[in-house]
Amino acid sequence: MLRYLLIRIARALAVVLCLSAVVFLLAHLIPGDPATLIAGENSTPELRAQITRELGLDQPVWSQYLSWLGHAVRGDLGTSLLDGQSVAAQVSERLPVSLELAVYAAVIAAVWGIPAGIWSAMHQGRAVDRLVNGTAFLGLAFPPFVVGTVMVLLVSRLTPGWPLFSFVPFDQDPLLNLQDLLLPAVALGIPFGATLCRYMRAAVLDVVGQDFMRTAAAKGAGRRRLMLRHALRNALVPVVTAGGLQLGVLVGGTVIVEQVFALPGLGSLIVSSITQHDFTVVQGAVLALGASYVVINLVTDLLYPLIDPRIRTTGARRDG
Amino acid sequence: MNHGYTRRTTLALGGGTLAAALLSGCGGTATTAGKSNGKPVSGGSLTIGLDAEPTTGFDPQVAQAYNDQQIISQFYEGLLSLDDKGQVQPGLAKSYRQVDATTHRFTLRDGVTFHDGSKLTTDDVIFSLERLMDPAIKSPFTQQYKIKKVTAVDATTVEVKLSAPQPSLYHFLARPWSGAIMSKKWTTARTEDQIKTAENGTGPFKLTKWTKGVSIQLAAHTGYWQKPKPYLSSVTYRLIPDETSRVASLRSGAVQLMAFRDLRLVDDLKKTAGITEANGPLVSSVWINMNTLSGPLADKRVRQAFNLAVDRQALIKTLGGGDSATLGYVIPPQDPYGTTPTSADTVYAQNQAKARELLRAAGQTKVSLELVAPSDPAYGPDISAMELMKAQLAQVGITLNLKLIPFATVVPRVLSSDYSNMIMMTSVLNADPSQYVSLWFAKGSPATKVKDQHLWDQMAAAASESDDSKRVTLYHQLAQYIADQCYLMVPYAKAVRGEAWTDKVGGYRPDATATRLELKSTWLAS
């Protein structure tokens, strides 16, 4: 068990390290010269050279990377090239908004997706099943930013009183905060729920056909007990895997939805820093986003032993 | 002469147009008047939809992004100011006069206070102008000025000595960023980063809170010298980067005023009841610069044929709603030194037969040319127009290859002359007309793709002329000469951005800088 834990954590760390290198190189591939951006096109070459030196941009890339990494592991992501503000402070201010949005969306997704999947499986082949399946397909077909934009247009015309573009932090007014985030969370929760719904349906159907279910039924277990005690517990492992992976995707998906709903999350920070060529902020923010993806996957991995007792004893994962 | 490369184009995506400023003379204000007329009402909180956060922050003297300037224009003021028609007016100086060619005197207004309550003194003015010239500040405006020495003549008069005559001096001093007067005590007590996130100007509004990623909140400066302005008690800039969302927020009433970049929205907004839309001034000329030093475009006949092959009216139709003008010259039509566009239409009205004839005479019936242009979404309508132009050129035997690259790399290419045939950029309003021509044609500049002493002589004469009406004539002649030689093709000029506001907004007039200089005169109907 401990071995299982340690391996997972070591793997996660390795992924974050690789990620940091990719993030750093990517930021340097953004076209445009930060010195020109800071000093302006009508600046003198001497001034631009001076700024380049001050920023350390005249050093070889690997040496810039090592120096950045050295600071990053100590929690120092540098300062913004443009306004000199601490990147770590900006990221820690924005990340909670994105994570809250992702969790909110996941809750909405789970609330509709999992019951719909079970319901659909229990009525396999009937009209209800086809309806749920069709809805799930539609949900998958519309990316969150399309759903979001359509919602913005509809809400602004139909219910002008709705606080479309307001944002109040959770610690200031939790209720208002949940209201502000409702529409973006729904936009993200629709496709996510559709994925969960389809996984849940397939998993339940898979389990229902197995021998132990027949045995349980033969022993006289009721339909309700059969479903909740025997089928769901076993069907949950692949759903948690898919859900975990999708939750990571969800955190990434917040980037565009935040832009549509003008939310101060990590995504909007990334988009604005890319357009402003603020390399250090892009690096820090993408690293934080990537790291949260890795952490979510790690947590998912660590959840398996709780759901599936076999992993606790063998350390092996039943399903990938 | 001064090379004066000004950042004139828009940054990718949510970026800003830069360095927009208006000169004296006929201003390019938008034409639509607000519907809320009548008496101004004091109080009221206005919410403005903002497309992008400030880039470098609130230090006015280093701010050259439009994102920064549109907020700074509410915080800071210069010795001079611009009215809504773009004419230079007294500002913090109640009067000003030119003593000789290189000496100017400014008399300060009484009762001007900074937002921290301290009184404006000549010390602050001297400090601010010296700070502008200080290389350590890295101000993009430093090299536009020829200020040598600033001294106090008495308690309210400041004398500015120039190293050489500078016809653009008043225009630069009149802009809230390049002419910003800052408090000496406040500024020297702060680090560069602190100056970027706070402010202490003399302007109508002061900063109350900047929540990054969400909003910038402003409150009226109760000690503002221009009583009873400002009428609004507070202004909130709400950050809504997505244009569709921003328009939706205007419709729902969540914001009452906003700007938009996609002029195709104009038609849609026109149909919406309760919304006033204003097209911005026509200050965005599309410039296609030609390499006349090598390749097919070295032959003037090929350049002429290129111009004659194109139907400019058809190009404009692809741009969508809003006003556009067919041929601008190098200086945009609504710059006071610009040429009215109508006459140009006849100069290069489409004539494909003549275009073919010119190509035959030049011995180049199969010409292949590359046009480097920005790929960013903000240029989408222009790229559609270029695609149409490509089809029109094909009809006379010119093959146009469009090479789309990110805007951020277009400017360096222009400055280093890194393109084989043509490159495209768009203009915004500059403070001085010499800046438009210098960018493309300055003698000895690496960006210049012509070799023409006559052109350089004309540029030098126009730049140093101090009589304004003569200067206008000289720039018209210069622009005509450039058009005749086909050094630079300007297929059309359009507005950089439009603005829209709800019926509740009264007294608002857009200005050519598009930084809302007249927000102080705006009120909200209850």
Side-chain angles (χ1 to χ4, degrees):
Chain A
M1 180 59 205
L2 187 68
R3 195 181 128 82
Y4 173 80
L5 239 153
L6 288 177
I7 290 175
R8 297 291 150 185
I9 292 173
R11 272 195 204 164
L13 284 176
V15 170
V16 172
L17 188 68
C18 294
L19 177 76
S20 73
V22 173
V23 163
F24 188 84
L25 289 175
L26 269 185
H28 280 255
L29 287 179
I30 299 176
D33 165 27
T36 309
L37 195 88
I38 293 166
E41 261 91 39
N42 49 2
S43 58
T44 58
E46 293 78 31
L47 178 59
R48 291 203 292 268
Q50 184 199 331
I51 292 173
T52 305
R53 266 197 310 279
E54 282 170 11
L55 296 176
L57 295 174
D58 55 344
Q59 302 292 317
V61 174
W62 61 266
S63 118
Q64 288 184 48
Y65 169 66
L66 287 182
S67 138
W68 175 72
L69 191 66
H71 286 100
V73 293
R74 279 170 279 166
D76 175 11
L77 294 170
T79 54
S80 156
L81 294 183
L82 293 171
D83 59 14
Q85 304 293 303
S86 152
V87 175
Q90 286 190 48
V91 167
S92 56
E93 208 170 282
R94 303 288 196 111
L95 187 62
V97 179
S98 297
L99 288 182
E100 189 202 338
L101 181 59
V103 170
Y104 198 169
V107 169
I108 290 176
V111 163
W112 86 266
I114 291 181
I118 298 171
W119 198 42
S120 179
M122 286 167 72
H123 300 85
Q124 192 194 4
R126 281 188 257 165
V128 171
D129 185 26
R130 281 198 289 272
L131 180 76
V132 171
N133 254 327
T135 313
F137 263 121
L138 268 182
L140 281 175
F142 285 103
F145 68 90
V146 173
V147 178
T149 307
V150 169
M151 285 199 308
V152 164
L153 291 176
L154 285 179
V155 169
S156 72
R157 286 186 193 225
L158 302 180
T159 53
W162 185 270
L164 246 187
F165 299 104
S166 78
F167 177 77
V168 181
F170 189 80
D171 50 2
Q172 249 176 51
D173 188 338
L175 273 181
L176 211 58
N177 169 273
L178 290 180
Q179 191 189 2
D180 289 343
L181 288 181
L182 180 65
L183 290 183
V186 168
L188 282 167
I190 287 176
F192 186 26
T195 313
L196 287 184
C197 172
R198 293 186 51 74
Y199 269 103
M200 199 68 220
R201 179 182 179 275
V204 169
L205 287 179
D206 183 41
V207 172
V208 165
Q210 300 215 8
D211 292 345
F212 71 86
M213 289 294 288
R214 224 173 314 136
T215 311
K219 278 168 71 185
R223 188 174 153 85
R224 196 183 159 79
R225 186 183 158 79
L226 207 56
M227 222 48 210
L228 294 178
R229 177 92 190 116
H230 296 278
L232 279 189
R233 181 86 186 248
N234 283 292
L236 225 48
V237 173
V239 174
V240 168
T241 310
L245 284 173
Q246 282 289 314
L247 191 63
V249 175
L250 203 59
V251 175
T254 58
V255 172
I256 300 167
V257 169
E258 280 169 17
Q259 196 74 357
V260 171
F261 286 95
L263 290 173
L266 210 52
S268 49
L269 180 68
I270 292 174
V271 173
S272 68
S273 338
I274 289 176
T275 53
Q276 296 179 343
H277 298 225
D278 201 339
F279 295 155
T280 49
V281 178
V282 176
Q283 284 163 5
V286 175
L287 184 66
L289 202 61
S292 53
Y293 183 97
V294 173
V295 169
I296 288 168
N297 274 295
L298 182 66
V299 170
T300 316
D301 275 358
L302 299 183
L303 276 180
Y304 288 124
L306 297 182
I307 302 168
D308 193 340
R310 281 166 296 182
I311 296 172
R312 256 177 269 169
T313 49
T314 62
R317 206 163 120 181
R318 185 181 154 236
D319 201 320
Chain B
M1 66 174 293
N2 178 359
H3 282 193
Y5 299 134
T6 309
R7 224 174 141 156
R8 68 202 57 228
T9 342
T10 50
L11 279 175
L13 292 162
T17 30
L18 306 174
L22 188 69
L23 309 177
S24 62
C26 65
T29 46
T31 45
T32 321
K35 285 173 193 160
S36 243
N37 291 315
K39 269 179 94 76
V41 190
S42 283
S45 303
L46 181 76
T47 308
I48 299 176
L50 187 67
D51 62 346
E53 287 212 294
T55 307
T56 55
F58 301 138
D59 184 341
Q61 298 187 337
V62 300
Q64 64 160 1
Y66 172 76
N67 302 345
D68 303 324
Q69 293 176 350
Q70 65 170 332
I71 315 277
I72 284 167
S73 62
Q74 310 308 327
F75 297 153
Y76 288 94
E77 292 173 305
L79 286 172
L80 305 174
S81 67
L82 296 174
D83 66 12
D84 66 306
K85 293 189 176 61
Q87 298 203 327
V88 172
Q89 300 289 339
L92 296 179
K94 63 182 176 191
S95 64
Y96 54 101
R97 69 188 175 92
Q98 185 166 6
V99 180
D100 60 49
T102 55
T103 313
H104 298 261
R105 278 193 182 182
F106 301 86
T107 306
L108 298 190
R109 199 177 286 282
D110 290 332
V112 175
T113 55
F114 288 102
H115 295 161
D116 66 359
S118 61
K119 222 172 149 303
L120 170 75
T121 65
T122 50
D123 267 0
D124 298 314
V125 176
I126 295 169
F127 166 77
S128 301
L129 297 184
E130 282 176 349
R131 185 174 186 268
L132 263 174
M133 302 309 289
D134 180 359
I137 301 301
K138 296 167 194 161
S139 166
F141 309 112
T142 305
Q143 66 182 84
Q144 310 288 352
Y145 280 110
K146 295 193 180 356
I147 296 174
K148 194 168 74 181
K149 197 166 175 50
V150 189
T151 48
V153 177
D154 56 46
T156 56
T157 313
V158 174
E159 186 173 272
V160 177
K161 273 267 181 207
L162 304 176
S163 57
Q166 184 196 343
S168 61
L169 178 70
Y170 291 170
H171 309 307
F172 278 104
L173 289 178
R175 295 183 292 169
W177 40 94
S178 61
I181 300 302
M182 305 169 76
S183 155
K184 180 179 180 178
K185 194 170 155 236
W186 184 87
T187 312
T188 47
R190 274 160 184 80
T191 64
E192 209 176 309
D193 288 338
Q194 287 169 332
I195 298 168
K196 286 176 175 174
T197 49
E199 60 83 27
N200 184 29
T202 59
F205 295 97
K206 57 185 181 183
L207 179 69
T208 47
K209 198 174 177 201
W210 180 6
T211 316
K212 282 215 172 174
V214 185
S215 62
I216 302 169
Q217 283 160 294
L218 276 52
H221 173 30
T222 44
Y224 190 54
W225 58 271
Q226 216 177 335
K227 295 239 180 282
K229 293 175 186 177
Y231 301 118
L232 295 166
S233 59
S234 67
V235 174
T236 302
Y237 289 87
R238 176 71 179 98
L239 181 70
I240 307 175
D242 185 72
E243 193 137 290
T244 317
S245 300
R246 212 160 53 249
V247 172
S249 71
L250 184 77
R251 285 213 171 92
S252 72
V255 309
Q256 294 93 42
L257 171 65
M258 57 143 240
F260 52 90
R261 298 171 150 278
D262 188 348
L263 299 176
R264 287 174 287 200
L265 284 168
V266 170
D267 288 338
D268 191 28
L269 284 168
K270 265 189 184 141
K271 289 182 216 137
T272 313
I275 289 177
T276 303
E277 88 26 69
N279 204 25
L282 302 180
V283 292
S284 179
S285 283
V286 168
W287 282 326
I288 299 175
N289 195 46
M290 304 205 169
N291 177 5
T292 71
L293 299 178
S294 63
L297 295 172
D299 191 323
K300 184 181 170 184
R301 290 168 296 190
V302 179
R303 302 199 298 268
Q304 283 175 316
F306 190 100
N307 275 276
L308 290 169
V310 177
D311 178 357
R312 291 154 201 261
Q313 286 293 349
L315 296 190
I316 285 186
K317 289 199 184 110
T318 66
L319 302 177
D323 303 328
S324 304
T326 46
L327 182 78
Y329 290 84
V330 55
I331 302 172
Q334 282 194 2
D335 186 294
Y337 296 89
T339 317
T340 331
T342 46
S343 58
D345 223 347
T346 56
V347 178
Y348 289 118
Q350 191 185 31
N351 186 342
Q352 295 199 333
K354 189 155 180 221
R356 281 189 207 96
E357 197 180 297
L358 282 162
L359 287 175
R360 263 198 305 278
Q364 303 201 49
T365 45
K366 284 244 179 290
V367 186
S368 183
L369 297 169
E370 185 183 80
L371 171 60
V372 177
S375 58
D376 307 35
Y379 295 90
D382 299 312
I383 298 308
S384 307
M386 295 303 112
E387 292 284 357
L388 179 60
M389 190 169 87
K390 179 178 173 174
Q392 294 170 352
L393 288 165
Q395 290 165 1
V396 301
I398 297 176
T399 310
L400 186 71
N401 304 307
L402 273 175
K403 184 176 175 170
L404 302 182
I405 59 173
F407 170 71
T409 59
V410 170
V411 178
R413 280 201 188 216
V414 167
L415 297 183
S416 60
S417 256
D418 183 14
Y419 53 96
S420 44
N421 303 124
M422 291 177 290
I423 197 159
M424 188 198 113
M425 273 201 353
T426 55
S427 66
V428 299
L429 216 53
N430 280 334
D432 194 72
S434 64
Q435 293 173 276
Y436 304 106
V437 274
S438 293
L439 172 80
W440 298 112
F441 307 118
K443 187 177 183 178
S445 154
T448 301
K449 290 279 201 186
V450 296
K451 192 169 181 296
D452 184 342
Q453 190 56 49
H454 180 61
L455 172 71
W456 294 330
D457 291 344
Q458 284 189 75
M459 281 167 64
S464 58
E465 176 60 58
S466 53
D467 181 306
D468 207 52
S469 63
K470 280 187 196 156
R471 209 163 180 240
V472 170
T473 314
L474 286 176
Y475 275 107
H476 284 183
Q477 288 168 356
L478 180 58
Q480 186 65 50
Y481 179 76
I482 291 166
D484 288 343
Q485 297 298 316
C486 310
Y487 288 147
L488 185 79
M489 186 204 189
V490 189
Y492 53 82
K494 57 172 190 166
V496 178
R497 57 180 63 222
E499 276 193 284
W501 57 92
T502 66
D503 275 354
K504 283 194 165 179
V505 178
Y508 180 68
R509 293 182 300 266
D511 64 278
T513 68
T515 62
R516 307 198 176 96
L517 296 173
E518 286 299 314
L519 209 54
K520 61 185 175 198
S521 313
T522 302
W523 73 89
L524 263 189
S526 42

